Amino acid sequence: MKYIWKTIWFIQAFLARLIPMILFFIVHAVGEVYTYTWDPLRLLDFKQIPVLFDSYLFLYGALGLIIVILFFMNLPIIARVMTVGIIGSQILFFFQKWDIYIYDLTDVDPYYDFYMRILLSIIAGFVLQVMWRVIKSSTRKLIYYVTVKTATKKRGVKNTKTPVRKSPN
């Protein structure tokens, strides 16, 4: 019975960690419909969905897989910052596409900014994760040293700074 529960837990954890990838696809579909690029009725035919996403299918699939791996590697800050950053990048990307559509801008390329925002969200996630780990370990060390110092004061132990000499044996 123990193995059945572990299997159920693993499947549930895996599916819960697929939520960001599903959100990427939903935000992209809403953005494409918003910019009048896709016909919303074509989304009802499930066979047309991979054709509609084209190369974005692989991009969001890869990013979603990276986020799943980061969650299982116990790096949740990177995964969450990436998720928020990618969704924000998508929203700004479609706003730029909307401006290009409305104002008939032909010399503007929104793809560079879109990919750079995704890259910046990944970098920001790594920086925040490292900072969190450093702050957490430094806080633990500080609490340890303060505890040791107060405990030695309470016991009346003198803290001498003389080195311990080893015997020549």
Side-chain angles (χ1 to χ4, degrees):
M1 193 68 178
K2 179 172 89 171
Y3 297 111
I4 293 173
W5 285 115
K6 282 188 176 185
T7 306
I8 291 171
W9 175 85
F10 182 79
I11 291 170
Q12 178 266 335
F14 184 75
L15 291 176
R17 283 159 174 81
L18 284 178
I19 291 173
M21 183 173 61
I22 294 167
L23 285 175
F24 299 156
F25 287 119
I26 291 171
V27 170
H28 187 85
V30 168
E32 291 288 355
V33 170
Y34 175 76
T35 58
Y36 299 116
T37 309
W38 289 359
D39 181 19
L41 296 177
R42 286 183 68 190
L43 289 171
L44 297 176
D45 185 16
F46 291 113
K47 293 179 183 176
Q48 292 292 321
I49 290 177
V51 174
L52 290 172
F53 280 105
D54 196 29
S55 63
Y56 291 107
L57 183 70
F58 300 112
L59 173 69
Y60 299 141
L63 290 171
L65 184 62
I66 290 170
I67 289 173
V68 167
I69 291 169
L70 288 171
F71 271 122
F72 278 112
M73 288 175 59
N74 200 17
L75 299 168
I77 296 174
I78 301 172
R80 289 183 181 124
V81 170
M82 275 181 63
T83 302
V84 171
I86 292 168
I87 290 174
S89 298
Q90 287 178 310
I91 291 170
L92 292 174
F93 173 69
F94 287 113
F95 282 155
Q96 281 182 332
K97 281 183 75 172
W98 175 257
D99 287 343
I100 291 169
Y101 176 75
I102 293 296
Y103 299 116
D104 196 27
L105 304 172
T106 56
D107 58 340
V108 179
D109 182 27
Y111 296 99
Y112 177 78
D113 293 336
F114 173 63
Y115 294 122
M116 285 306 288
R117 285 187 199 109
I118 290 174
L119 179 64
L120 290 176
S121 71
I122 294 169
I123 292 170
F126 276 103
V127 168
L128 289 173
Q129 183 74 48
V130 168
M131 285 176 45
W132 173 254
R133 295 257 170 115
V134 167
I135 290 170
K136 196 166 129 180
S137 68
S138 299
T139 305
R140 285 182 181 167
K141 286 179 183 176
L142 180 69
I143 290 171
Y144 171 75
Y145 288 129
V146 168
T147 305
V148 167
K149 191 173 184 177
T150 56
T152 57
K153 281 183 180 179
K154 285 182 182 178
R155 287 187 290 156
V157 177
K158 293 182 182 177
N159 190 4
T160 60
K161 301 258 180 175
T162 59
V164 177
R165 297 180 190 212
K166 295 183 180 179
S167 64
N169 297 346

